Each structure stands twice: as C-alpha cells, then as structure tokens.
Amino acid sequence: MHVDFSKLGGLAPAVIQDDSTGRVLMVGFMNEEAFRRTVETGFANFYSRSRNKLWLKGETSGHRLVVKSIATDCDQDAILIRVEPLGPGVCHEGYQSCFFRTLRDGEWVVNEERTYDPNTTYGGSK
Amino acid sequence: MHVDFSKLGGLAPAVIQDDSTGRVLMVGFMNEEAFRRTVETGFANFYSRSRNKLWLKGETSGHRLVVKSIATDCDQDAILIRVEPLGPGVCHEGYQSCFFRTLRDGEWVVNEERTYDPNTTYGGSK
C-alpha cells in the first residue's frame, strides 16, 4: 500500500469525502504514520503542519471520521478517503464542511449556516 | 479572493470534483498565478511540481476542465473546484479519475476500466 510521501517532505494531501453525500469535507495532510494509523484503526488521522504532531480527527470534538474506502491517484502522491462523519460537522469553525466559502465575483462568500457551535464543542481550542 | 499559498512554498492543493457526479477526479497544485488564470479563464490551470511550470489541464489532450464553482476551506489554504470535465477522462493514464486505485486488504487494486487510450491521446507524453 505504497504512498509517495517524498514530494512534500514526508506528507501527502488527503481529501476527505462524505461517503453518503459525496460532499468534500476537508483536505488534510498525512505522513506515513498517520496513514498507517488511518488504515489500521479505521478512523482518519492526520499530521498537523502547524502543531507538528499526529492528530486523530475528532480527538477533542468527538467528530471522528469513520473510513469507508481509501483510494490513491495515478502518481500515488495523494489520498482520497470516503468517510462517514460522526457528529454535526467536520470543520472546527462549526460548519458541516471546511469548504464553506465560495468565490462570487472575486470575493469569498459564506453561503451556508453553521451546524454546531464551535465554542461549546472546542471551548476555544481546535 | 485571498488564498494562503505560503504553507507549501507558494502552492496550495486543489481538489477537482465532477460537478454532475460528485466524483473526485484529481488533486493538483496551484500557485497564485495558476489560481488567477483558473478564475479568469474558467479552465483549471495548475503548477506542475515535476516540470516547474504552469500547466493548463488539457493543453495536450484537449481534456480541459470547465470551472463550475470554486470554494476554499476554513484556513484558506486548500481549493475545491467543481468542474465539467471535457473528454472521456481526466487521468493521463486513461481513466475517468486519477483515483482509480482502491485499498483492498493492504494492496492497491485497480477496479475500473480505462475510458480512453492514453497512447493515442498523448502519444507517449503527458
């Protein structure tokens, strides 16, 4: 189950897609260990570039991502994971998807409502 | 329409999703100029890390990606583009999607047929 992590200094982008709706929920980065943990545990794990550590998605919020299938691309340097998201939203800002901003006439516009209150869930932290 | 290109040395991952089917077709990288050209022309442009140059998807094959909508994520460091793909496939290996390999029992397995002959389309080049 080789993935080429060399092109981004040990990381590969991982696209997270809702298995039932097809919505793209987030893009994270995995190193080899995060990918291994994802495969072995069945929950999406990432490598946080800002915190320089492995990160189980949902470890604070409980909003884990249950792996349904894992694909890789032609160059084997990107990962696509279809998931069942647990909880009301994947984004730490309270939205169902991190991609809640759409380009309209040259400006990013938020065109959906939050699905939960991130201050209650995260208590101010991510 | 700010995008944070600083985290990957001037690049941001761009997820390409089929607007009509929801299938994730590829992940490419854009620098600021590729993103600007994508917005201005309505066709997906990328930055090739292997060739170190801007790249209009479909410039050789004709399989351009017509932009239907553009979104960014909470950190504004990833891009999601919904497209209408022109032609039978996005992948230079002849498949509809670059994500034609799925993990099965620890091995990457190809579980779909090619939709076109890449040797005819590309003549051996990408």
Side-chain angles (χ1 to χ4, degrees), chain B residues 3 12 28-29 37 40 43 46 54 61-62 72 75-76 79 82 85 88 94 96 102 104 109-110 115 118-121:
Chain B
V3 174
F29 287 86
R37 289 188 188 188
E40 289 184 0
F43 294 102
F46 300 96
L54 286 166
S61 65
T72 192
D75 297 330
Q76 295 184 227
I79 302 162
R82 294 184 70 109
Q96 182 188 60
T102 304
R104 296 276 170 84
V109 176
V110 177
T115 53
N119 292 319
T120 304
T121 302

Side-chain angles (χ1 to χ4, degrees), chain A residues 9-112:
Chain A
L11 301 177
V15 180
I16 303 297
Q17 185 176 28
D18 189 308
D19 186 55
S20 61
T21 68
R23 184 166 189 189
V24 174
L25 300 174
M26 62 176 283
V27 173
F29 287 85
M30 293 184 180
N31 64 2
E32 191 160 9
E33 175 66 10
F35 180 64
R36 191 185 63 73
R37 290 189 188 187
T38 298
V39 172
E40 290 184 1
T41 66
F43 293 102
N45 285 255
F46 300 95
Y47 185 82
S48 168
R49 297 177 295 170
S50 57
R51 290 178 286 164
N52 292 315
K53 57 176 284 201
L54 288 165
W55 163 55
L56 167 66
K57 172 67 185 168
E59 64 191 357
T60 303
S61 65
H63 303 166
R64 295 192 185 196
L65 302 170
V66 181
V67 174
K68 307 300 277 186
S69 69
I70 301 177
T72 192
D73 66 349
C74 42
D75 297 330
Q76 295 184 228
D77 59 6
I79 303 162
L80 171 63
I81 304 187
R82 294 183 69 109
V83 303
E84 175 195 345
L86 303 182
V90 161
C91 182
H92 73 280
E93 292 196 24
Y95 295 91
Q96 182 187 59
S97 164
C98 292
F99 290 95
F100 59 83
R101 286 190 193 90
T102 304
L103 198 62
R104 296 275 172 85
D105 300 324
E107 302 287 338
W108 296 117
V109 176
V110 178
N111 50 357
E112 62 188 82

Side-chain angles (χ1 to χ4, degrees), chain A residues 2 17 22 70 72 103 108, chain B residues 2 17 22 70 72 101 103 108:
Chain A
H2 170 72
Q17 185 176 28
I70 301 177
T72 192
L103 198 62
W108 296 117
Chain B
H2 170 73
Q17 185 176 28
I70 301 177
T72 192
R101 287 191 190 89
L103 198 63
W108 296 118

Side-chain angles (χ1 to χ4, degrees), chain B residues 38-59:
Chain B
T38 298
V39 172
E40 289 184 0
T41 66
F43 294 102
N45 286 255
F46 300 96
Y47 185 83
S48 168
R49 296 177 294 170
S50 56
R51 291 178 287 164
N52 292 315
K53 57 175 283 203
L54 286 166
W55 163 56
L56 168 66
K57 171 68 184 168
E59 63 191 359

Side-chain angles (χ1 to χ4, degrees), chain B residues 21 26 28 32 42 60 100 114-115:
Chain B
T21 68
M26 62 175 285
E32 191 159 10
T60 303
F100 59 84
R114 283 189 167 88
T115 53

